[in-house]
């Protein structure tokens, strides 16, 4: 089916909320509230036979009584009542439906039958169905928010270019929270749950055509159709990098998947091979997914594995070097061998007792200007494919000016530069400042090193594609 | 030498600051300021031939002119002048000296000779020498602070029972920052740099006898004397758990060590064997060190590897299960098999559509009370050796009361319980609340799982010791 059938999930002219409620602790209340809070510009129709008005909006006893076209319906009522309502939605020509309710395939037995039934009804009426057992869509560009999670606890990030599609709502929400906290922009977020109809493949196709999306992050518990996944993911990853977590890797994890979304997690070797073939970069935990996505969102790629490390703390430089070069416990990249002219040039800018080799330790006598100069010099070296810059702000000569200095140097090159800075609140502030200037910054040296590996992987994949086409 | 010779580093009655300065950007200014700021209760003697007064304290042209006993001298002057001043300190019967200055073994050549010289002088006069190239001691219990890093950027944690000894100052400072941010207490911090005299073995001996220390965390770049290290660490780890990072694991990392503290990093296999023999738990990055130390500080031990996971997000439960059970990418523990009576009891407290098996998913219908009840029930199960509790605060029915509920359940058992909660500022607040109540809490499920592994390792070690003695 064409990806265009999914458009009403993202750009609906009107939305009905089935199971809307007047009690703030209810999902059906939060759904209406989220749409209002996000500034949704179309019509909202709360549906509840026992209410006349919800959150200042006229309420309707059922979909039919609305008497107008409904592009998208959100359903949050007990599972056993969903088929009936879905049929009614079909008769009213609702185009898309998000079934928030749980109690389907994930609970087994009756739930499995119920899910089969809603699948059949959706097909019969040509409705595109997202869920059940999901939280749906948050799209800050199109001002759609179907998340029933209160905004004071579940934060909503600003507009941006990273899309996140997730089988799990909870993992998605953690991701959104982190994005908000780090001031990173989202293109859209989609939680698709048990995927009775809309699945990760449909969503990849949609995102491939969505101009505001530059990078795709995914949390998967199951790949429905391996062959088709590889096809679509391959097409997509040529244009937009894809990073994915595949949960349920272990036998025990796979069992847990089954009671979460009722899916079969699939064999680990097959997933591994499919990702490799399709150019999907794999992440193993949420932070990795988050870290890789924002490194990739810069559009900078490491076209080689020779990395320079610049630091003002010797120990941090050693730790980064271990992580960078270790084949088993680390990422297995190379410490760049600096050219002689680079070393000579560096000598003029580093403290007299510092040694100009990689990792380059600016020592406790560091200044913000030193960072700017040294990054510029190192980035000009042809032996360097990427730079990890460790900025510890504790030394007496350091201050926030380091952000300006690094930014200037960052703009002087196209090579990837990732920042790491470990420490408390003053450090966190600096990290956010870097991130606001579009320079990915990480609170641990190891995380920056892993993110650099991801840019190297992307570079390798693009080179491989290139060879294939020339 | 007796560990008692180290006491003046921690409980000096008087301190001279050689190289004290009136310029706030100078190390010699910050040293005096840090001692004042920490509320040091003894006498401070700034030494600077060009000043009469520094920060309101009378300054002296040299140590001799002080005319009183000096227990501890901090030296922050250019390396080439250190031998002369050290000799003067010796003649004045100074007991302990911290050489902050760099420019010794770590720069090679002349630096190596200079370090040999100060070593010889210290020995000749019976001075215990810490450093050179270090930042010394921060001890909030004894109100000693020799860190030249301004307090607004390098945070100082509150009093507590975790000791941290670090060859690197920068790694140490990151650790202190994190402790402060998470409100975790420190017994003392020691950065010992090039260890011309005082080394990690001396410090372990001191900490073994230091009552306020319950757990020891270490960042090491080199182990000076393997045999003696094993002896002392074994003695210590019987009483107090030791967690350690050994940096310079890789060939490239070892080279970086050499230009950092001038040390030889030593063969990885030997380090591995030494740690194992001495019962030292190994951490591979700063966060692991931090996470393990605060799990161990609770004094709770997992006497088995069967772990229960309680969550309100299915995806997070799956991720935790993967990490828990995976032998290769995870920690290789077991998912506890709940007893039938536990399952029956759980049924009464979890949502009707939730399935009472491990991982236990309380679903989006969770309440704070549910956490309290479920943790209590699960902790009573003899098949459970430890519990990882994932608390996502996003669902509508959740709120901060969950902290009270979990605390109540926590106090009802002696089994280890570790919290994980992923998310933005509202989540961070909850994490800090848990930590304040003495319940270790982690911002990623994977980190909580790894910390649980550390408690299982500690349990195994203690069991092994027990077998040896019975």
């Amino acid at each position: 089916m064409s990806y265009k059938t999914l458009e009403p999930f993202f750009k609906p002219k009107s939305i009905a909320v089935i199971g809307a409620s007047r009690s703030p602790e209810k999902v059906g209340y939060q759904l209406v509230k989220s749409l209002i809070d996000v500034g949704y510009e179309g019509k909202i129709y709360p549906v509840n036979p026992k209410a006349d008005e919800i959150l200042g909006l006229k309420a309707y006893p059922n979909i039919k009584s609305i008497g107008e076209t409904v592009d998208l319906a959100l359903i949050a009522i007990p599972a056993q009542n969903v088929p009936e309502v879905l049929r009614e939605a079909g008769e009213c020509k609702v185009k898309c439906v998000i079934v928030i309710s749980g109690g389907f395939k994930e609970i087994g037995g009756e739930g499995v039958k119920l899910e089969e039934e809603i699948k059949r009804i959706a097909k019969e009426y040509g409705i595109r169905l997202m869920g059940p057992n999901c939280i749906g869509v948050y799209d800050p560009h199109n001002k759609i928010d179907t998340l029933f999670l209160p905004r004071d606890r579940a934060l909503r990030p600003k507009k941006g270019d990273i899309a996140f599609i997730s089988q799990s709502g909870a993992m998605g929400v953690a991701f959104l929270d982190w994005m908000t906290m780090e001031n990173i922009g989202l293109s859209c977020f989609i939680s698709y749950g048990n995927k009775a109809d809309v699945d990760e493949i449909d969503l990849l196709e949609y995102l491939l055509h969505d101009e505001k999306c530059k990078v795709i992050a995914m949390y998967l518990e199951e790949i429905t159709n391996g062959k088709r996944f590889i096809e679509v993911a391959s097409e997509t990853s040529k244009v937009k990098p894809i990073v994915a977590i595949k949960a349920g890797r272990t036998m025990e994890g796979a069992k847990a998947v089954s009671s979460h979304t009722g899916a079969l997690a699939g064999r680990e070797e097959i997933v591994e091979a499919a990702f490799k073939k399709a150019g999907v970069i794999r992440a193993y935990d949420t932070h990795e997914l988050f870290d890789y996505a924002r490194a990739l969102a810069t559009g900078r790629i490491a076209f080689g594995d020779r990395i320079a490390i610049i630091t003002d703390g010797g120990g941090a430089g050693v730790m980064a070097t271990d992580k960078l070069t270790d084949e088993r416990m680390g990422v297995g990249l190379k410490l760049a061998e600096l050219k002689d002219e680079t070393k000579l040039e560096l000598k003029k800018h580093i403290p007299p007792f510092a040694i100009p080799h990689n990792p380059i330790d600016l020592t406790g006598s560091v200044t913000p200007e030193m960072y700017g100069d040294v990054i510029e010099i190192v980035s000009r070296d042809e032996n360097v494919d990427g730079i990890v810059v460790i900025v510890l702000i504790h030394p007496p000569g350091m201050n926030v000016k380091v952000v300006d200095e690094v930014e200037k140097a960052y703009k002087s090159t196209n090579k990837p530069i990732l920042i790491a800075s470990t420490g408390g609140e003053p450090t966190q502030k600096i990290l956010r400042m870097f991130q606001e200037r579009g320079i990915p910054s990480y609170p641990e040296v190891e995380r920056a090193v892993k993110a650099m590996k991801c840019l190297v992987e992307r570079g390798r994949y693009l080179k491989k594609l290139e060879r294939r086409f020339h």
Side-chain angles (χ1 to χ4, degrees), chain A:
Chain A
M1 237 177 297
S2 160
Y3 70 89
K4 293 203 169 175
T5 59
L6 300 186
E7 273 180 356
F9 285 115
F10 303 95
K11 296 165 192 166
K13 292 205 182 62
S14 54
I15 303 179
V17 180
I18 325 288
S21 164
R22 277 179 298 197
S23 316
E25 73 282 6
K26 291 280 175 63
V27 166
Y29 172 92
Q30 292 295 344
L31 287 173
V32 179
K33 189 157 192 315
S34 292
L35 286 170
I36 294 172
D37 287 349
V38 79
Y40 171 61
E41 286 162 348
K43 289 277 266 177
I44 307 172
Y45 304 109
V47 174
N48 179 339
K50 289 180 198 146
D52 294 328
E53 182 246 289
I54 286 168
L55 277 157
L57 297 167
K58 178 175 164 27
Y60 297 82
N62 50 48
I63 308 179
K64 270 191 187 136
S65 61
I66 295 171
E68 314 248 1
T69 326
V70 170
D71 272 359
L72 173 65
L74 315 182
I75 300 185
I77 56 175
Q80 66 272 21
N81 304 330
V82 172
E84 191 194 334
V85 164
L86 191 61
R87 201 172 280 284
E88 199 191 334
E91 278 158 17
C92 295
K93 308 244 182 292
V94 171
K95 292 175 197 138
C96 287
V97 159
I98 301 176
V99 181
I100 313 280
S101 322
F104 291 87
K105 196 165 72 176
E106 78 277 13
I107 65 161
E110 276 308 305
V112 177
K113 284 189 206 150
L114 265 181
E115 186 154 326
E116 281 307 313
E117 197 180 344
I118 62 167
K119 218 162 152 170
R120 220 166 29 235
I121 299 169
K123 208 164 180 185
E124 187 185 330
Y125 288 95
I127 295 174
R128 295 306 313 255
L129 186 146
M130 195 179 287
N133 187 26
C134 75
I135 62 173
V137 176
Y138 170 62
D139 182 333
H141 294 270
N142 294 316
K143 296 185 185 165
I144 298 294
D145 186 341
T146 76
L147 277 44
F148 61 82
L149 307 158
R151 284 186 164 236
D152 58 341
R153 292 204 294 279
L155 311 176
R156 311 299 206 260
K158 66 177 185 186
K159 285 184 207 175
D161 39 31
I162 299 174
F164 182 36
I165 63 186
S166 176
Q167 222 166 334
S168 154
M171 295 308 284
V173 170
F175 200 86
L176 297 186
D177 265 18
W178 281 338
M179 288 187 83
T180 312
M181 201 163 56
E182 310 284 348
N183 205 16
I184 295 167
L186 179 80
S187 86
C188 70
F189 163 71
I190 310 145
S191 138
Y192 60 100
N194 295 8
K195 52 176 172 173
D197 171 27
V198 174
D199 64 12
E200 61 284 347
I201 299 167
D202 297 321
L203 293 170
L204 276 181
E205 272 189 310
Y206 179 80
L207 292 176
L208 171 60
H209 295 91
D210 179 13
E211 277 183 17
K212 63 195 190 331
C213 158
K214 271 211 258 173
V215 175
I216 301 167
M218 307 179 89
Y219 168 86
L220 297 166
E221 296 194 341
E222 170 213 30
I223 296 169
T224 313
N225 179 340
K227 194 161 162 282
R228 181 96 184 104
F229 177 84
I230 293 174
E231 276 169 28
V232 174
S234 301
E235 275 313 301
T236 309
S237 77
K238 275 181 206 162
V239 190
K240 303 176 183 189
I242 304 173
V243 200
I245 287 179
K246 166 63 180 62
R249 286 185 287 113
T250 59
M251 201 184 65
E252 299 287 353
K255 273 189 215 158
V257 159
S258 158
S259 72
H260 177 218
T261 49
L264 293 171
R267 293 218 352 249
E268 177 57 19
E269 313 83 87
I270 297 172
V271 172
E272 195 71 39
F275 277 15
K276 207 174 164 190
K277 190 147 187 214
V280 174
I281 296 168
R282 189 156 186 186
Y284 288 90
D285 64 43
T286 330
H287 258 133
E288 285 182 8
L289 190 69
F290 180 65
D291 289 349
Y292 297 176
R294 62 204 170 110
L296 289 161
T298 61
R300 297 194 180 197
I301 293 153
F303 286 110
D305 61 358
R306 302 162 307 167
I307 309 302
I309 296 169
I310 300 167
T311 183
D312 59 341
V318 175
M319 295 290 288
T321 303
D322 274 344
K323 188 77 188 177
L324 185 82
T325 59
D326 197 336
E327 297 278 347
R328 192 173 58 94
M329 309 273 308
V331 300
L333 300 180
K334 292 194 185 73
L335 208 54
E337 192 74 64
L338 301 179
K339 293 170 85 169
D340 287 340
E341 60 233 59
T342 304
K343 289 183 185 174
L344 276 174
E345 190 62 25
L346 280 176
K347 259 290 184 202
K348 298 179 203 157
H349 296 273
I350 62 178
F353 43 85
I355 310 159
H357 69 52
N358 189 12
I360 302 153
D361 183 359
L362 306 178
T363 78
S365 305
V366 67
T367 62
E369 293 71 26
M370 223 182 268
Y371 270 105
D373 295 336
V374 168
I375 295 171
E376 275 203 50
I377 295 164
V378 171
S379 68
R380 284 198 298 267
D381 190 316
E382 291 151 20
N383 292 348
V384 172
D385 299 308
I387 311 176
V388 171
V389 181
I390 301 166
V391 178
L392 305 174
I393 56 144
H394 308 102
M398 280 290 278
N399 58 58
V400 292
K401 259 174 59 190
V402 72
V403 179
D404 294 329
E405 291 292 332
V406 171
E407 188 185 21
K408 209 178 61 192
Y410 187 82
K411 287 180 174 164
S412 77
T413 177
N414 287 321
K415 290 180 185 172
I417 297 176
L418 303 176
I419 308 292
S421 191
T422 43
E425 189 43 53
T427 295
Q428 311 279 323
K429 202 181 119 199
I430 296 270
L431 286 169
R432 283 192 295 272
M433 285 175 72
F434 278 118
Q435 202 62 58
E436 272 159 31
R437 315 268 179 111
I439 310 171
S441 64
Y442 302 92
E444 288 172 66
V445 296
E446 291 84 0
R447 283 172 62 178
V449 168
K450 285 204 280 181
M452 185 57 82
K453 168 66 187 301
C454 162
L455 299 182
V456 172
E457 252 186 72
R458 180 71 184 157
R460 278 182 193 146
Y461 185 71
L462 292 183
K463 273 187 173 173
K464 202 172 85 182
L465 282 184
E466 205 178 25
R467 277 198 303 276
R468 208 184 292 158
F469 292 114
H470 289 293

